[in-house]
């Protein structure tokens, strides 16, 4: 008897429906075809044990399983339940009439219970698009898939539940998630707040400018000055995720298997902080079975690289193109996948190997030339993509022990949102542009015009401070953002002066 069940394969953050055909005929062997990988071929042993331990039988006849389309590689153990259901239906143990109305996915344990799968959300979205009535999957993934409307999602704990459901001997309750309620209830629910930071008003100001314009930022300062603490609070002043951004971010985390069973949606902006020993592939994505890297997991959020010069140069260099294009393309011989990677880069570093160059109290013990050598670990092209260079100085005791209440993230976020609204209006005819940091050189010339006094100030600054040519566009972009924060249509002298202040690493002689 021939039976068809349906599963799904995930490529990038998109899913493709897979038809699993099971045919039982005379003979004794088990065949699985359709470009399966080793994990799919091993499913036979998991299925056989699961069926026996749940009181069902594995047919002692020739079983042929075909996974179509046959030119797409099938990877992973999540097809176990799809194949097992097909085998049970083909051997007469399940009523097959309604099988074609459901996508069925799940990894089987030997006792018949189900393990979670990756990519439940994109699979559910594709299932609805293809007109399926429902999606049967492990209980742990049910909330994640249930945010898709007009699709019945059934979370099951064992293959017994699936058999009972199709045979009509037991009922399954569909998982219900109110997507909008779930989204708005936990929006901007951050654990940390800028009000907890004592002093450091100039650094808070720099991060507010970075958040308002989507600018990349590097924090330079001695150990213990608060660089990491400040960076971790940056997501709390970014504009809240839109529902579309939330769904897009959730899809990436779903594909990577990073969503907890209790989570339905990613509702706060991601903050990813990889260790400096990370490999190129783990940072940008890839591998034999391509998976999203840290830059994609930080999509619509913040990627924080602590101690930037300690990262492998090759890992930093592969990040240059995604920083510009806001997506990463992973190519293999037979297919190509795209992962979105629109993130804010926040980096931190010590000014020298010992950490105390330019420190107000402690003396630097690095030998001559060591500071410049340390800074040169960061390539010019990467530094070129960072708009704000901020020097972080230690907080003195009087500020640290002060009882004065600092400004809350909520108030800063309101100013950031107003500045972003001005930018959205400005780029209204360009849906791919959302912030000043994304402007092209030509747009900078058109939208960041300065008067004669501003030109004179900028000329003198470049000459006296020894600013490089690449700093010119960056200063104009940042000054445009500062003007937006103050609600000014024109870029004024004070806006330019503040932007010039945030170009520390471009100053000649900064490192001696």
């Amino acid at each position: 008897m021939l039976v068809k069940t349906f599963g799904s394969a995930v490529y990038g953050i998109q899913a493709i429906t897979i038809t699993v055909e099971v045919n039982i005929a005379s003979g004794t062997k088990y065949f699985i075809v359709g470009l399966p990988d080793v994990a799919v071929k091993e499913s036979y042993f998991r299925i056989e044990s699961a069926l026996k331990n749940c009181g069902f039988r594995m047919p002692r006849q020739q079983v042929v399983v075909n996974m179509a389309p046959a030119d797409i590689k099938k990877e992973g153990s999540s097809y176990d339940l799809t194949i097992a259901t097909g085998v049970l239906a083909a051997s007469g143990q399940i009523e097959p009439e309604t099988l074609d109305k459901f996508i069925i996915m799940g990894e089987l344990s030997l006792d018949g219970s189900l393990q979670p799968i990756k990519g439940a959300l994109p699979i559910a979205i594709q299932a609805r698009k293809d007109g399926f009535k429902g999606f049967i999957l492990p209980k742990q993934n049910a909330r994640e898939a249930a945010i898709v409307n007009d699709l019945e999602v059934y979370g099951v704990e064992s293959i017994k539940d699936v058999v009972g459901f199709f045979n009509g001997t037991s009922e399954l309750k569909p998982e219900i998630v109110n997507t909008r309620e779930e989204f708005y209830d936990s929006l901007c629910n951050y654990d940390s707040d800028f009000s907890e930071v004592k002093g450091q008003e100039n650094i808070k100001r720099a991060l507010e400018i970075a958040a308002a314009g989507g600018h990349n930022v590097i924090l330079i300062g001695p150990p213990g000055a608060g660089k990491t603490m400040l960076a971790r609070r940056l997501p709390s002043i970014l504009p809240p995720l839109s529902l579309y951004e939330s769904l897009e971010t959730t899809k990436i985390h779903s594909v990577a298997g990073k969503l907890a069973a209790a989570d339905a949606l990613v509702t706060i902006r991601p903050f990813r902080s990889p260790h400096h020993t990370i490999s190129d592939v783990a940072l940008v994505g890839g591998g034999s079975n391509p998976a999203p890297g840290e830059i994609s997991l930080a999509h619509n959020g913040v990627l924080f690289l602590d101690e930037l010069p300690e990262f492998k140069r090759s890992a930093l260099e592969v990040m240059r193109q995604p920083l510009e294009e806001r997506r990463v393309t992973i190519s293999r011989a037979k297919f190509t996948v795209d992962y979105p990677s629109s993130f804010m880069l926040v980096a931190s570093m010590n000014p020298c190997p010992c950490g105390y160059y330019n420190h107000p109290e402690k003396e630097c013990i690095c030998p001559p030339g060591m500071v410049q050598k340390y800074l040169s670990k960061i390539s010019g092209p990467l530094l070129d993509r960072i708009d704000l260079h901020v020097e972080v100085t230690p907080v003195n005791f009087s500020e640290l022990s002060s009882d004065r209440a600092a400004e809350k993230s909520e108030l800063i976020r309101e100013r950031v949102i107003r500045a972003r609204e001005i930018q959205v209006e400005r780029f209204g005819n360009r849906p791919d542009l959302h912030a000043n940091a994304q402007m092209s050189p030509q747009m900078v010339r058109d939208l960041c015009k300065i008067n004669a006094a501003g030109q004179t100030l900028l000329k003198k600054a470049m000459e006296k401070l020894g600013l490089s040519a690449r700093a010119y566009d960056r200063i104009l972009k940042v000054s445009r953002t500062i003007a937006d924060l103050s609600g000014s249509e024109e870029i004024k002298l004070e806006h330019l002066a503040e932007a010039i202040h945030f170009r520390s690493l471009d100053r000649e002689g900064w490192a001696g």
Side-chain angles (χ1 to χ4, degrees):
M1 182 177 178
L2 173 65
V3 168
K4 292 183 181 181
T5 55
F6 297 90
S8 197
V10 177
Y11 285 89
I13 57 170
Q14 308 299 327
I16 302 166
T17 298
I18 301 295
T19 304
V20 176
E21 302 172 318
V22 181
N23 188 59
I24 296 179
S26 59
T28 56
K29 290 192 175 181
Y30 178 92
F31 299 98
I32 183 162
V33 295
L35 218 56
D37 72 349
V38 175
V40 178
K41 289 176 182 176
E42 288 174 345
S43 65
Y44 172 77
F45 304 103
R46 291 190 294 270
I47 291 168
E48 184 180 38
S49 296
L51 294 185
K52 282 183 178 178
N53 288 325
C54 290
F56 306 111
R57 60 181 173 83
M58 187 72 178
R60 293 297 169 213
Q61 296 164 277
Q62 185 188 79
V63 179
V64 179
V65 179
N66 177 44
M67 306 180 79
D71 60 338
I72 293 175
K73 192 169 179 63
K74 321 302 183 304
E75 297 170 335
S77 54
S78 55
Y79 297 102
D80 291 359
L81 188 59
T82 325
I83 297 169
T85 306
V87 169
L88 288 168
S91 58
Q93 298 173 77
I94 280 183
E95 295 296 330
E97 283 78 13
T98 57
L99 283 177
D100 61 349
K101 293 182 172 64
F102 295 88
I103 290 280
I104 305 168
M105 296 289 285
E107 177 189 333
L108 281 171
S109 294
L110 299 187
D111 62 355
S113 61
L114 290 168
Q115 300 296 324
I117 62 171
K118 293 180 180 179
L121 179 56
I123 292 171
I125 291 169
Q126 187 62 37
R128 182 181 65 180
K129 193 182 292 184
D130 289 344
F132 285 94
K133 177 185 176 183
F135 182 14
I136 296 172
L137 77 168
K139 189 83 172 173
Q140 300 95 313
N141 300 110
R143 281 180 56 77
E144 176 189 337
I147 65 175
V148 178
N149 300 325
D150 304 322
L151 183 74
E152 295 175 7
V153 173
Y154 297 99
V156 293
E157 295 178 349
S158 166
I159 193 169
K160 288 180 180 178
D161 299 336
V162 181
V163 174
F165 175 70
F166 284 114
N167 285 341
T169 57
S170 64
E171 284 189 12
L172 292 177
K173 288 187 178 179
E175 189 79 26
I176 304 295
V177 172
N178 187 325
T179 308
R180 293 188 178 277
E181 187 180 303
E182 185 92 15
F183 175 68
Y184 290 113
D185 279 355
S186 50
L187 204 60
C188 299
N189 188 17
Y190 293 97
D191 296 329
S192 51
D193 195 276
F194 265 86
S195 61
E196 300 157 358
V197 181
K198 299 287 186 181
Q200 303 287 29
E201 298 304 324
N202 62 322
I203 320 301
K204 291 180 188 175
R205 171 64 177 171
L207 292 180
E208 181 181 338
I209 294 166
H215 301 287
N216 299 324
V217 59
I218 184 166
L219 306 173
I220 314 131
K227 303 185 294 292
T228 304
M229 180 189 65
L230 285 156
R232 287 192 181 280
R233 282 157 177 73
L234 178 59
S236 69
I237 64 169
L238 288 170
L241 285 170
S242 67
L243 187 54
Y244 173 76
E245 286 177 326
S246 178
L247 284 166
E248 193 176 39
T249 307
T250 306
K251 279 169 77 174
I252 297 168
H253 285 249
S254 170
V255 168
K258 301 288 185 185
L259 283 179
D263 294 336
L265 275 170
V266 174
T267 54
I268 62 172
R269 292 192 180 272
F271 180 89
R272 305 293 299 182
S273 179
H275 193 260
H276 59 76
T277 55
I278 193 169
S279 68
D280 307 7
V281 169
L283 186 63
V284 299
S288 54
N289 300 334
E294 288 291 333
I295 64 171
S296 294
L297 292 170
H299 180 61
N300 290 324
V302 175
L303 178 71
F304 178 52
L305 303 183
D306 201 3
E307 298 304 333
L308 187 66
E310 302 301 329
F311 282 79
K312 287 192 300 180
R313 192 177 181 102
S314 60
L316 294 177
E317 294 308 299
V318 293
M319 215 169 55
R320 280 160 45 184
Q321 189 175 359
L323 271 170
E324 289 290 322
E325 296 185 358
R326 303 192 174 272
R327 64 184 174 84
V328 59
T329 303
I330 298 163
S331 299
R332 294 290 178 266
K334 293 186 177 179
F335 63 90
T336 299
V337 295
D338 279 352
Y339 291 114
S341 59
S342 179
F343 59 90
M344 270 183 67
L345 173 65
V346 180
S348 77
M349 60 180 283
N350 293 332
C352 65
C354 81
Y356 296 108
Y357 180 76
N358 274 353
H359 194 282
E361 296 167 6
K362 297 186 180 180
E363 191 175 341
C364 175
I365 59 170
C366 297
M370 183 58 74
V371 178
Q372 189 59 50
K373 185 179 178 183
Y374 185 72
L375 292 177
S376 67
K377 287 184 178 182
I378 307 166
S379 71
L382 180 64
L383 205 58
D384 191 27
R385 289 160 172 79
I386 299 176
D387 296 347
L388 294 160
H389 307 161
V390 186
E391 291 184 63
V392 183
T393 51
V395 183
N396 60 44
F397 180 78
S398 61
E399 286 182 324
L400 207 57
S401 57
S402 169
D403 292 332
R404 184 170 59 88
E407 193 175 27
K408 289 187 175 182
S409 290
E410 186 180 355
L411 298 174
I412 303 172
R413 186 167 63 240
E414 286 173 5
R415 294 198 294 269
V416 169
I417 291 169
R418 284 198 296 271
R420 286 285 184 108
E421 285 170 351
I422 292 169
Q423 292 163 54
V424 168
E425 192 175 330
R426 180 182 298 134
F427 306 130
N429 59 340
R430 292 286 302 274
D432 56 321
L433 286 179
H434 308 289
N436 288 333
Q438 299 167 3
M439 287 191 289
S440 66
Q442 184 56 51
M443 293 183 78
V444 171
R445 300 289 182 276
D446 295 340
L447 299 173
C448 302
K449 288 184 167 60
I450 53 176
N451 57 26
Q455 289 282 9
T456 305
L457 173 66
L458 196 48
K459 181 174 181 289
K460 284 183 178 178
M462 294 189 74
E463 290 171 355
K464 286 194 174 183
L465 298 175
L467 296 177
S468 63
R470 71 170 176 247
Y472 181 80
D473 275 5
R474 304 289 165 183
I475 288 170
L476 288 178
K477 283 184 184 180
V478 173
S479 58
R480 178 67 270 168
T481 300
I482 296 169
D484 290 342
L485 274 168
S486 63
S488 171
E489 289 187 14
E490 295 180 5
I491 297 174
K492 298 177 181 176
L493 285 178
E494 59 265 30
H495 304 148
L496 267 174
E498 190 174 4
I500 291 165
H501 171 69
F502 293 124
R503 294 302 299 183
S504 301
L505 292 180
D506 279 322
R507 295 175 194 169
E508 285 181 1
W510 189 88

